Amino acid sequence: MTQPTPAAHKDAPKPAAKSAGEQRSSRRSGSRWDVRTLSLLGVLAVLVAVGGITAPDEFLATSNLQLVLTQASVIGVVTVGMTFVITFGGIDLSVGAIVALASVWATTVATQEFGFAGILFTAVIVGVGCGLVNGLLIAYGRMVPFIATLAMLASARGLALQITDGSTQIVSVASVLDLGARDSYVLGIPPLVLIFAAVTVIGWLVLNRTTFGRRTVAVGGNAEAARLAGIDVRRQRLYLYLLSGLCCGIAAFMLIVLAGSGQNTNGNLYELDAIAAAIIGGTLLTGGRGTIVGSVLGVLVFTTITNIFALNNLETAVQQIAKGAIIVAAVLVQRRSLHGDT
């Protein structure tokens, strides 16, 4: 009985290499995101110049620059989590309310008795718990993300108001307050900024250098194709809302350090700021593409605008109009770039 010869396998099909068109499209995509990043850096540089010209003594002061970075850090951590959710093709309208609930729950008298660790643990676990509820409702309850997270927004805000009874809960734990004091700065950098930097680096590595990140992008691009490729879409969706909740918990703790208190009004409109920062940074609202670096730059752009307006005593209404114009411009650029791919 003769054995099959190795030559029989010579004609076996081989994995197809990327076509020249696909390679050119990939290069164009990478180039476009590089251009967008450089554009955001340019916008940020222009804003710094405007701030330096209109309020040179105040804006360029070291204390003010530290303030800008510190304020950007809290919403920045939330935006990192939001970037993952949007890249996946989802949305989370509850992040601001989760921050509020986590901050007031972590600053109750009972929680403060456990000191620094008790406040940190409570803030994080409340954020993760809310993310778990969102994830279960959306992934396994098959609820639309908009509806599920809108329900969480209302519930979390209501619970935060009930816990505080409308009053401010002052933090009395010295180790928590010391974290926000100037004496705790590391080489002139506030600790909250260092936390934000750490979250940003970890987020970038997870999104760009891990299987988890590749699955997130794949499902956002085409959920059905990702499912057929063996990705558990529902479990991935659950993990992403857990991640968003974790970021909210961390941000809540940072806000407690920054404000020295917990209030049911904390995190007001954070969901809109986080979504806007992610969008102008280059993350597609329809999913499939996300950039942590762009989202961080988006946060810095919005925070700098707010600071410049405050230093120049300009009306909040004008500031909101400027933000709205930037968001519209960013979405139009995204639509144009998407049509350019087709």
Side-chain angles (χ1 to χ4, degrees):
M1 194 173 171
T2 59
Q3 299 291 331
T5 61
H9 300 286
K10 288 183 179 179
D11 296 331
K14 298 179 180 180
K18 285 186 177 181
S19 67
E22 289 175 331
Q23 292 176 351
R24 286 194 297 270
S25 177
S26 178
R27 286 195 295 268
R28 284 198 303 269
S29 178
S31 175
R32 181 170 58 253
W33 298 125
D34 289 340
V35 169
R36 178 172 281 117
T37 299
L38 291 175
S39 299
L40 284 172
L41 286 172
V43 170
L44 193 57
V46 169
L47 289 174
V48 171
V50 170
I53 293 172
T54 57
D57 295 333
E58 297 88 356
F59 181 80
L60 296 178
T62 302
S63 58
N64 184 65
L65 296 179
Q66 290 171 334
L67 176 63
V68 170
L69 291 175
T70 301
Q71 291 176 336
S73 297
V74 180
I75 184 61
V77 171
V78 175
T79 303
V80 170
M82 183 69 77
T83 301
F84 276 89
V85 172
I86 296 178
T87 301
F88 187 81
I91 199 72
D92 192 347
L93 301 179
S94 64
V95 291
I98 294 175
V99 169
L101 178 59
S103 69
V104 299
W105 205 323
T107 53
T108 59
V109 175
T111 303
Q112 292 193 50
E113 290 180 356
F114 293 93
F116 184 99
I119 292 176
L120 175 59
F121 176 79
T122 302
V124 170
I125 204 66
V126 170
V128 172
C130 291
L132 176 62
V133 173
N134 279 337
L136 289 174
L137 289 175
I138 295 167
Y140 296 96
R142 299 184 181 279
M143 289 187 67
V144 177
F146 182 91
I147 300 300
T149 57
L150 184 62
M152 175 58 74
L153 182 156
S155 301
R157 282 288 178 194
L159 185 54
L161 178 60
Q162 186 176 30
I163 291 174
T164 61
D165 196 24
S167 60
T168 300
Q169 298 179 163
I170 304 300
V171 176
S172 58
V173 179
S175 55
V176 173
L177 299 175
D178 290 343
L179 196 60
R182 188 168 296 275
D183 293 339
S184 65
Y185 287 13
V186 180
L187 299 177
I189 303 176
L192 298 187
V193 177
L194 296 176
I195 295 173
F196 175 37
V199 171
T200 298
V201 171
I202 293 172
W204 185 91
L205 290 173
V206 171
L207 184 60
N208 296 282
R209 293 292 185 267
T210 67
T211 302
F212 182 87
R214 288 190 290 272
R215 288 175 178 172
T216 299
V217 174
V219 176
N222 190 323
E224 181 61 20
R227 186 186 67 80
L228 294 175
I231 297 176
D232 190 331
V233 176
R234 291 190 299 178
R235 185 171 60 185
Q236 186 75 9
R237 184 174 288 117
L238 173 63
Y239 289 161
L240 285 164
Y241 280 97
L242 282 172
L243 177 61
S244 179
L246 173 62
C247 288
C248 290
I250 296 172
F253 176 76
M254 296 169 67
L255 195 57
I256 291 170
V257 172
L258 184 62
S261 63
Q263 303 177 54
N264 66 287
T265 56
N266 282 344
N268 188 35
L269 297 181
Y270 271 20
E271 56 276 1
L272 300 184
D273 289 341
I275 293 170
I279 291 174
I280 72 167
T283 298
L284 291 184
L285 194 56
T286 52
R289 289 177 183 171
T291 163
I292 298 295
V293 173
S295 295
V296 170
L297 290 176
V299 170
L300 292 175
V301 165
F302 279 140
T303 308
T304 304
I305 290 175
T306 301
N307 184 258
I308 291 174
F309 274 66
L311 292 177
N312 287 278
N313 298 317
L314 297 177
E315 295 182 2
T316 304
V318 180
Q319 172 186 325
Q320 298 301 328
I321 292 172
K323 286 185 177 181
I326 292 174
I327 295 170
V328 170
V331 172
L332 290 176
V333 169
Q334 281 192 359
R335 288 176 59 85
R336 182 177 180 182
S337 66
L338 282 175
H339 288 309
D341 286 342
T342 57

